[in-house]
């Protein structure tokens, strides 16, 4: 209760009137990723790999962005299951998608793995609002989850994005067998980035069959509330995004997360490859909570 009280005081000061941003997420290139992230159904190291879907072309992606805007979304996020961005036709298509999303009046976010300084600069020139690159967990727990990319490489990617002038979207996942110290360690790294990430997604593991973490139990909803509240206190001006795992939460737990300082939710039927609450259910939730929807 003390944690919620403190988080609410910080949040009231940082977000007067309590506006919640709605973000929609689309998987443009699905599956076949070379990384071995233990939670991910898109890794070619896992039997759950969902490769085989064709990469989406520019116009179908923009059509989905228009539909997301029509449904009330303010930010449109696009994901590519890549270890790193490669120059060539797919990157040129990504730039076209970013320009198209921005022309619709939406914020544009991309997640596509590591990138070079020149790629970051070109994304900035195209108008990209934010680049998502999560740290996932603490430095100490990281090697148990991913071995194909180092923590330092993730931090270097964040630095490249920051140098280009694009805002950062960076958070993590709870429920992957980590300790409370690991959760604190992740938030400590995020809170010591200068400046703080503008966007901090807090995810709860969705245990997918065919991944090494498939047998882990669901996260206690109150643990997600604690994570949101602590992130809010440590990073007062960041958008704390209630992300994967929200479908496992009851209405009351989601409202507790909003009370604790979450001011963005992912909105739409899917999150890359896992399901998400329906749009109508989210509208009813936000109405019940009495919060205003805003960009």
């Amino acid at each position: 209760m003390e944690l919620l009280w403190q988080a609410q005081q910080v949040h009231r000061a940082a977000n007067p009137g309590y506006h919640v941003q709605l973000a929609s997420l689309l998987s443009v290139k699905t599956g076949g990723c070379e990384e071995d992230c233990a939670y991910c159904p898109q890794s070619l190291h896992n039997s759950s790999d969902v490769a085989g879907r064709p990469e989406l072309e520019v116009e179908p992606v923009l059509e989905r962005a228009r539909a997301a805007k029509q449904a009330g979304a303010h930010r449109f996020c696009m994901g590519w299951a890549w270890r790193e961005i490669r120059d060539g036709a797919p990157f040129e298509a990504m730039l076209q998608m970013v320009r198209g999303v921005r022309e619709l009046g939406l914020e544009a976010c991309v997640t596509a793995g590591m990138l070079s300084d020149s790629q970051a600069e070109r994304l900035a020139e195209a108008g990209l609002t934010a680049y998502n690159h999560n740290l996932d967990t603490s430095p100490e727990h990281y090697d148990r989850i991913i071995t194909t990319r180092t923590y330092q490489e993730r931090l270097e990617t964040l630095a490249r994005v920051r140098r280009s002038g694009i805002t950062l979207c960076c958070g993590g996942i709870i429920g992957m067998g980590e300790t409370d110290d690991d959760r604190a360690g992740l938030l400590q790294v995020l809170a010591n980035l200068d400046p703080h990430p503008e966007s901090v997604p807090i995810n709860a593991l969705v245990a997918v069959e065919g991944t090494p973490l498939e047998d882990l139990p669901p996260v206690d909803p109150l643990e997600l509330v604690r994570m949101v509240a602590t992130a809010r206190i440590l990073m007062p001006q960041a958008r704390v995004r209630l992300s994967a795992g929200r479908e496992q939460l009851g209405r009351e737990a989601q409202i507790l997360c909003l009370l604790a300082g979450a001011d963005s939710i992912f909105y739409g039927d899917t999150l890359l490859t896992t399901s998400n609450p329906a749009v109508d259910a989210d509208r009813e939730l936000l109405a019940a909570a009495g919060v205003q929807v805003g960009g």
Side-chain angles (χ1 to χ4, degrees):
M1 298 307 268
E2 181 64 27
L3 180 65
L4 278 175
W5 177 251
Q6 287 186 33
Q8 182 66 192
Q9 287 179 305
V10 170
H11 196 45
R12 278 175 178 269
N15 187 0
Y18 213 142
H19 292 81
V20 172
Q21 187 190 59
L22 305 180
S24 184
L25 179 58
L26 174 67
S27 181
V28 178
K29 190 271 180 182
T30 306
C33 183
E34 302 107 316
E35 303 282 14
D36 66 355
C37 307
Y39 54 80
C40 188
Q42 301 198 65
S43 168
L44 55 76
H45 298 265
N46 299 333
S47 63
S48 59
D49 182 22
V50 288
R53 300 186 199 172
E55 190 166 330
L56 297 179
E57 300 291 333
V58 174
E59 190 46 45
V61 169
L62 296 182
E63 197 57 48
R64 292 287 291 273
R66 290 184 199 102
K69 182 179 180 181
Q70 192 72 29
H74 311 108
R75 177 181 286 219
F76 191 70
C77 308
M78 296 165 280
W80 281 258
W82 289 342
R83 173 176 164 74
E84 69 267 310
I85 295 176
R86 302 169 186 84
D87 288 320
F91 182 50
E92 298 302 323
M94 180 190 293
L95 295 171
Q96 286 184 56
M97 292 172 196
V98 169
R99 292 187 198 102
V101 169
R102 297 294 284 138
E103 285 167 7
L104 291 171
L106 292 166
E107 294 183 2
C109 181
V110 161
T111 181
M114 295 183 287
L115 78 176
S116 66
D117 284 317
S118 64
Q119 288 165 343
E121 287 163 12
R122 291 196 67 199
L123 283 165
E125 288 164 5
L128 186 65
T129 311
Y131 195 83
N132 166 262
H133 197 69
N134 290 334
L135 291 173
D136 289 344
T137 189
S138 70
E140 293 76 17
H141 190 64
Y142 182 82
D143 287 348
R144 298 180 197 174
I145 305 300
I146 304 156
T147 66
T148 49
R149 186 190 327 182
T150 67
Y151 211 79
Q152 184 58 36
E153 284 176 312
R154 287 183 181 261
L155 292 171
E156 287 167 3
T157 296
L158 297 178
R160 287 191 187 98
V161 172
R162 186 58 86 192
R163 283 196 297 271
S164 74
I166 298 169
T167 67
L168 283 186
C169 179
C170 184
I173 308 169
I174 65 171
M176 300 193 295
E178 75 283 345
T179 64
D180 284 347
D181 282 348
D182 288 316
R183 294 177 186 177
L186 167 64
L187 291 174
Q188 183 179 25
V189 174
L190 292 170
N192 277 287
L193 294 174
D194 187 15
H196 292 153
E198 287 79 4
S199 169
V200 180
I202 303 294
N203 300 275
L205 176 71
V206 178
V208 177
E209 186 177 352
T211 63
L213 303 184
E214 65 182 356
D215 294 326
L216 287 182
V219 172
D220 181 334
L222 293 183
E223 295 301 305
L224 199 60
V225 175
R226 288 178 189 275
M227 197 71 178
V228 166
T230 309
R232 171 54 63 214
I233 292 167
L234 290 173
M235 294 168 279
Q237 300 298 327
R239 279 203 186 276
V240 178
R241 299 184 185 274
L242 197 53
S243 304
R246 191 162 65 86
E247 194 177 29
Q248 301 162 24
L249 302 178
R251 188 170 75 155
E252 294 80 6
Q254 291 186 68
I255 288 176
L256 266 180
C257 286
L258 293 171
L259 185 72
D263 60 350
S264 177
I265 62 172
F266 279 99
Y267 184 69
D269 298 331
T270 56
L271 290 177
L272 294 181
T273 60
T274 56
S275 59
N276 198 44
V279 164
D280 287 346
D282 281 338
R283 285 184 174 145
E284 290 171 10
L285 170 78
L286 295 169
V291 296
Q292 299 181 63
V293 172

